[in-house]
Amino acid sequence: QVQLVESGGGSVQAGGSLRLSCAASGYTYSSDCMGWFRQVQGKEREGVATIDSDGGTSYRDSVKGRFTISQDNAKNTLYLQMNSLKPEDTAMYYCAAGRGPKYGLAPGICAYDYWGQGTQVTVSS
């Protein structure tokens, strides 16, 4: 139904910035929430930031003040601006889209149905 394609990853030095993009396409326009996740080899995937259909956002504590999630509805594109990058931010980053409160889920809860292939972010010290 929906295809998600991430871009913008790369290698940067600590303190640098990157902006990730997630382009959505397909015949479904009813995604109620979207988010960014990351995963390090050998570790569990963790949520980074989320945004709902009303523009409400949420961030994990370790990226607050450094990362900003946003969306351009006209372009069906999700963004993650990452500033002041740290080596611990190194991971494969994935975008996802799914169902939220409009589908009966509790506020702040998103059931992610669609996932991108990921884009690698590497931060060196």
Side-chain angles (χ1 to χ4, degrees):
Q1 293 184 349
V2 175
Q3 294 80 49
L4 304 175
V5 180
E6 303 97 334
S7 62
S11 298
V12 298
Q13 294 184 341
S17 299
L18 286 172
R19 188 175 79 156
L20 306 184
S21 298
C22 174
S25 62
Y27 63 81
T28 299
Y29 297 93
S30 59
S31 294
D32 196 31
C33 47
M34 299 188 75
W36 287 97
F37 294 75
R38 65 188 183 187
Q39 186 171 30
V40 178
Q41 185 176 4
K43 304 291 185 179
E44 294 185 355
R45 179 176 294 183
E46 63 182 23
V48 177
T50 61
I51 188 167
D52 61 32
S53 59
D54 295 321
T57 60
S58 181
Y59 302 88
R60 71 179 301 107
D61 288 342
S62 62
V63 307
K64 288 181 178 178
R66 299 189 298 119
F67 291 10
T68 303
I69 187 172
S70 62
Q71 61 186 1
D72 185 332
N73 292 326
K75 297 181 179 180
N76 282 123
T77 302
L78 180 73
Y79 302 98
L80 184 67
Q81 178 67 47
M82 304 185 294
N83 298 323
S84 301
L85 284 163
K86 304 175 180 179
E88 49 262 48
D89 295 318
T90 295
M92 183 72 74
Y93 283 71
Y94 302 87
C95 68
R99 295 163 289 119
K102 290 183 179 180
Y103 291 85
L105 279 71
I109 302 298
C110 182
Y112 294 102
D113 301 311
Y114 308 102
W115 294 82
Q117 294 298 307
T119 184
Q120 178 67 39
V121 171
T122 301
V123 184
S124 62
S125 60

